[in-house]
Structure formats: C-alpha cells, structure tokens
Amino acid sequence: GQNIDQPTEMTATEGAIVQINCTYQTSGFNGLFWYQQHAGEAPTFLSYNVLDGLEEKGRFSSFLSRSKGYSYLLLKELQMKDSASYLCAVRDSGGYQKVTFGTGTKLQVIP
Amino acid sequence: DTAVSQTPKYLVTQMGNDKSIKCEQNLGHDTMYWYKQDSKKFLKIMFSYNNKELIINETVPNRFSPKSPDKAHLNLHINSLELGDSAVYFCASSQVGPPNEQFFGPGTRLTVL
C-alpha cells in the first residue's frame, strides 16, 4: 500500500516562491504526480516525475528523490490565482498501477 | 468539446433512496475511474475500468455498483443511500502509457438528507 504525507496548509505572499513537500512510503513505485485543485473544482494535472531530478514547466517545477521517498512542488512568482489545494499522488508498480492521492496541501496566496 | 463530463452536477436525496451518476469521456482513453472526495478533501479511488473491464475495486460497500457499457462511459449506481455517502464523486479517465495522467470530470456533489 501507499502512505503519503503533505502539509495541510501553507500561506505565501504574491510574487514569492513556495515549496510544497510530499513524502511517501510505498510497496512499489511507478511515478509521482502533482495535481492542482481549486475550491469547488476538479483536480487538474500539473506534473509527473518517474526518475530522480527536477522537471520544470513554466512557473512550476517538481522534484523527485526515489531513494528518499520525497518530492516537492516549487511554485515561483506566485499569483493570487495559485491559491488552491495541491495534491501529491503516487502510482504503484502493480499490474493495475493504482494511483493513491495524498490529502493535499491548501495554499493561500496573500497580497 | 468537454473532455470528461458527469451528470448530474448536484444530487440531493433522502436516505434509503437509489441514485445513479453518469460519466462520459471523449478523449479516447481506455481507463476510467470513480473517486470519492469527502469533506476533508481526501480523494479516494473507488473503482477503475480498463476497456469495460473492472480492474480496481477498493473496499467499497456493495451498495455501490459501477457499470461500463462501453469504454467511453462509466456509470455509478448507489443503492440504499446513507448519510455517510454525502461527498463529491469524481469520474476520471487516462490513456495507456506514461505519464497517463488522469483527466477529471467536474464532479457530482451528492447530499444525503
């Protein structure tokens, strides 16, 4: 099974940089996802890491260390619209490759 | 040109009733999912179908029965609704092959009174 930990809430200032951490314990690993979910809306895909290292996509970057069971999502040049929950999700390596979501980190961006 | 659609968006019903939620995706994906997101925002997998075949069935009460008439549709029927079933139910789909990220429908907010 999977166990995924993220901070429950974070607050950051507009224009700043924020790092959201995710740690996981898994019986098998085949990729880590980050999703963004605005209040009252569906989750939307942000990033995917399966190998160690940093993946950059515009203002968002995601890092993975498989040996440490650790990932982070880095958001640069924060905007008010980045206020949302950020969900870390891990896919296992079993035949059906189930994806398990963490409880999410609610980020509030303040002026 | 909605990718993943669900109906209804809101569902308010009495305990003991039976209700269905429908989901359709026009992305050509082979795999579809049902998730439940409770009041604490925890998103939990319930079922997954690959090309109309059930491949993931988490510990979900038998009152929940998914049906996939074809690979573009995945419906969820719930019998004898209980207060604890109140949640937002999301349908999602994904393609085969990495990264196979999931595309989510808008959600159905179910309230059981």
Side-chain angles (χ1 to χ4, degrees), chain A residues 1-66:
Chain A
Q2 314 278 12
N3 186 31
I4 301 171
D5 289 309
Q6 308 177 232
T8 305
E9 292 182 342
M10 297 182 72
T11 301
T13 306
E14 192 177 13
I17 299 173
V18 71
Q19 178 174 313
I20 303 174
N21 295 325
C22 171
T23 57
Y24 62 90
Q25 296 87 40
T26 175
S27 54
F29 177 84
N30 193 20
L32 186 143
F33 300 85
W34 284 95
Y35 285 82
Q36 180 190 59
Q37 186 176 24
H38 284 102
E41 297 183 9
T44 55
F45 170 73
L46 286 178
S47 69
Y48 170 73
N49 295 71
V50 67
L51 300 176
D52 291 351
L54 189 68
E55 293 282 341
E56 297 188 75
K57 228 190 226 186
R59 293 190 299 115
F60 293 6
S61 304
S62 56
F63 172 83
L64 175 67
S65 169
R66 288 171 296 170

Side-chain angles (χ1 to χ4, degrees), chain B residues 51-109:
Chain B
N51 211 1
K52 302 193 297 176
E53 180 187 345
L54 181 65
I55 57 172
I56 294 175
N57 185 351
E58 290 296 283
T59 310
V60 178
N62 291 337
R63 300 182 293 102
F64 290 78
S65 53
K67 279 193 173 51
S68 182
D70 56 61
K71 73 174 194 176
H73 296 84
L74 180 61
N75 304 322
L76 183 65
H77 187 76
I78 315 170
N79 289 326
S80 304
L81 278 156
E82 300 178 356
L83 293 177
D85 298 332
S86 295
V88 180
Y89 292 83
F90 286 102
C91 176
S93 71
S94 66
Q95 63 185 9
V96 176
N100 63 357
E101 74 271 27
Q102 297 180 21
F103 292 77
F104 285 82
T108 296
R109 181 173 293 277

Side-chain angles (χ1 to χ4, degrees), chain B residues 7-21:
Chain B
T7 54
K9 190 165 175 61
Y10 299 96
L11 191 49
V12 180
T13 188
Q14 300 286 334
M15 261 195 326
N17 284 350
D18 303 338
K19 290 294 178 186
S20 292
I21 307 172

